Amino acid sequence: MTYQLKYLSLRARGEPVRWILKAIGVDYREETIDIFKEWPSRKREFRFGKVPVLEVDGEQLHQTTVICRFLGEKHDLVSRDLWTTTRQMEVVEALHDLTNNMASALLGRVQRNEEKQRAMVGLAKAQFPVVMGNIEGRITDQGWILSQQMTWVDVFVAAYLDVYENYFPGVVAKFPLCEALRGRVQEMPAIKTWRQERPAWHPFEDPEGLVSPEGGS
Amino acid sequence: MTYQLKYLSLRARGEPVRWILKAIGVDYREETIDIFKEWPSRKREFRFGKVPVLEVDGEQLHQTTVICRFLGEKHDLVSRDLWTTTRQMEVVEALHDLTNNMASALLGRVQRNEEKQRAMVGLAKAQFPVVMGNIEGRITDQGWILSQQMTWVDVFVAAYLDVYENYFPGVVAKFPLCEALRGRVQEMPAIKTWRQERPAWHPFEDPEGLVSPEGGS
């Protein structure tokens, strides 16, 4: 199989896919698209008008959680029991849901719509610890989410925490099992190297200067 | 297994779950919660602060698409090949994504924020035919989505189309295979009966009076 990831030059919904590709250790290429300069004219190349897209043997597959689960199942980095995978997907989708609010908040900042920005950051900030608490309660004595060994779900969660702890400093640390899980995932050599080499935050998603819902910035 | 659905007294994200429960033919109870009068005080009963929730043997399972897939897999109304299920999930998640925009639009209406309402309806209206086109292209000669027989994915799609055609009249009819699929699903006796007996639109989600993004209402 050949894999090519096409996504914006952002962390956002891209990091979970990148981290899983690195965790399973397959070769892949990535093409990044600048959200301001290139995306408006390139949107139509994509069947759903959305990215990330993973081209699998040349065929476009979109939807972040669908891409990630496919990679996990294809490369055997999964749990196999139905109820277990269902409970894992529940936290995957809950965490992923936050990207909708955060995307709206970041768009609000670009549009200089402070009310929208504040409201959307507020929604994400309120829900983030709720989701974290539910993940924390599902980490086994081996340190993985409803599993005795690492699955793609752990990598997915770790990648999002690595992004979100910058938007909501101090929250991840309140959940020590989540914090430890994230630490173990990001110490994997391929992910460690990527974290050192990856580009700095794109201005669109830079946590610096994002308003706080309480009033300050 | 005992199933109890807890959701708002809305169609919205509830209909796909209800239709799948009826299509597989299991007994279930449903408790509805009024979004205005009851939801604010009852939100905390739910581990993620969100509904729909399906209680499975008393345990809360949330996230619409996760609930629906679980029911399909548990009751054998699924495809089993990885690439097939992946391509089915791609359209499931894409269609489900529209509920975020529509929920924001309906909230905007309650808040008398016409700008928000118009913007959110506009996003959903632009994306709906894109998703429909992708579904249309995946319907087999047997009339089901990437399958020779009906799966939960068909029921899920039909239930959402039954809601969305009221928000965007005339769109579904442009996709004759989707229209035929929806017709076949809603002719299933348990679903046909439900469509005749279910409550009228709750004022929160009534398509009547929703603004059009072009300017009129």
Side-chain angles (χ1 to χ4, degrees), chain A residues 53-151:
Chain A
V53 156
L54 184 70
E55 288 190 1
V56 180
D57 290 342
E59 222 176 324
Q60 289 184 5
L61 177 63
H62 98 305
Q63 285 285 344
T64 313
T65 63
V66 177
I67 293 169
C68 291
R69 181 169 181 169
F70 167 74
L71 288 170
E73 298 219 7
K74 186 77 191 171
H75 298 277
D76 218 20
L77 200 66
V78 281
S79 298
R80 292 287 176 193
D81 167 71
L82 174 60
W83 186 243
T84 303
T85 56
T86 298
R87 302 300 264 176
Q88 289 172 334
M89 285 311 293
E90 193 183 16
V91 293
V92 162
E93 294 295 350
L95 191 56
H96 180 67
D97 267 358
L98 296 176
T99 64
N100 292 315
N101 294 141
M102 285 309 296
S104 295
L106 298 173
L107 268 173
R109 179 166 66 175
V110 170
Q111 296 160 343
R112 300 180 187 275
N113 181 339
E114 188 159 324
E115 185 191 337
K116 176 175 169 181
Q117 194 189 159
R118 200 176 298 279
M120 290 296 128
V121 171
L123 286 176
K125 188 172 186 173
Q127 188 66 8
F128 186 47
V130 175
V131 177
M132 293 289 295
N134 277 283
I135 297 174
E136 187 82 354
R138 292 177 197 201
I139 294 179
T140 66
D141 54 4
Q142 295 300 306
W144 308 111
I145 298 166
L146 296 174
S147 174
Q148 295 298 304
Q149 52 213 346
M150 190 184 80
T151 71

Side-chain angles (χ1 to χ4, degrees), chain A:
Chain A
M1 300 220 124
T2 66
Y3 294 125
Q4 181 170 18
L5 175 60
K6 295 187 175 181
Y7 186 55
L8 307 171
S9 45
L10 301 177
R11 296 185 192 177
R13 293 172 176 137
E15 285 298 274
V17 185
R18 295 180 190 116
W19 287 34
I20 290 169
L21 284 161
K22 290 173 197 301
I24 60 184
V26 290
D27 276 336
Y28 73 98
R29 288 184 301 139
E30 175 167 357
E31 184 186 3
T32 57
I33 299 167
D34 188 88
I35 190 170
F36 296 132
K37 295 176 214 150
E38 299 175 284
W39 176 242
S41 65
R42 296 202 51 191
K43 191 176 162 76
R44 289 190 193 170
E45 290 171 27
F46 300 95
R47 292 181 61 88
F48 288 84
K50 309 256 182 195
V51 284
V53 156
L54 184 70
E55 288 190 1
V56 180
D57 290 342
E59 222 176 324
Q60 289 184 5
L61 177 63
H62 98 305
Q63 285 285 344
T64 313
T65 63
V66 177
I67 293 169
C68 291
R69 181 169 181 169
F70 167 74
L71 288 170
E73 298 219 7
K74 186 77 191 171
H75 298 277
D76 218 20
L77 200 66
V78 281
S79 298
R80 292 287 176 193
D81 167 71
L82 174 60
W83 186 243
T84 303
T85 56
T86 298
R87 302 300 264 176
Q88 289 172 334
M89 285 311 293
E90 193 183 16
V91 293
V92 162
E93 294 295 350
L95 191 56
H96 180 67
D97 267 358
L98 296 176
T99 64
N100 292 315
N101 294 141
M102 285 309 296
S104 295
L106 298 173
L107 268 173
R109 179 166 66 175
V110 170
Q111 296 160 343
R112 300 180 187 275
N113 181 339
E114 188 159 324
E115 185 191 337
K116 176 175 169 181
Q117 194 189 159
R118 200 176 298 279
M120 290 296 128
V121 171
L123 286 176
K125 188 172 186 173
Q127 188 66 8
F128 186 47
V130 175
V131 177
M132 293 289 295
N134 277 283
I135 297 174
E136 187 82 354
R138 292 177 197 201
I139 294 179
T140 66
D141 54 4
Q142 295 300 306
W144 308 111
I145 298 166
L146 296 174
S147 174
Q148 295 298 304
Q149 52 213 346
M150 190 184 80
T151 71
W152 72 270
V153 172
D154 301 298
V155 183
F156 179 98
V157 166
Y160 267 144
L161 297 191
D162 183 52
V163 172
Y164 279 84
E165 67 163 358
N166 293 281
Y167 293 123
F168 309 117
V171 177
V172 178
K174 289 181 189 154
F175 301 93
L177 299 177
C178 289
E179 177 82 308
L181 179 151
R182 185 183 68 110
R184 255 174 291 123
V185 172
Q186 73 188 33
E187 282 306 310
M188 295 176 74
I191 292 173
K192 189 171 183 176
T193 303
W194 167 244
R195 288 184 81 248
Q196 287 161 352
E197 290 176 354
R198 67 184 171 186
W201 297 100
H202 187 284
F204 177 78
E205 64 173 351
D206 196 336
E208 186 74 30
L210 197 70
V211 299
S212 147
E214 290 78 26
S217 71

Side-chain angles (χ1 to χ4, degrees), chain B residues 10-46:
Chain B
L10 301 177
R11 296 186 192 175
R13 294 172 176 136
E15 285 299 275
V17 184
R18 295 180 190 115
W19 287 35
I20 291 169
L21 284 161
K22 290 172 196 302
I24 60 184
V26 290
D27 275 336
Y28 73 98
R29 290 184 301 140
E30 176 168 357
E31 184 186 2
T32 57
I33 300 167
D34 188 87
I35 190 170
F36 297 132
K37 294 177 215 147
E38 299 175 283
W39 176 243
S41 66
R42 296 202 50 192
K43 190 176 162 75
R44 289 191 193 170
E45 290 171 28
F46 299 95

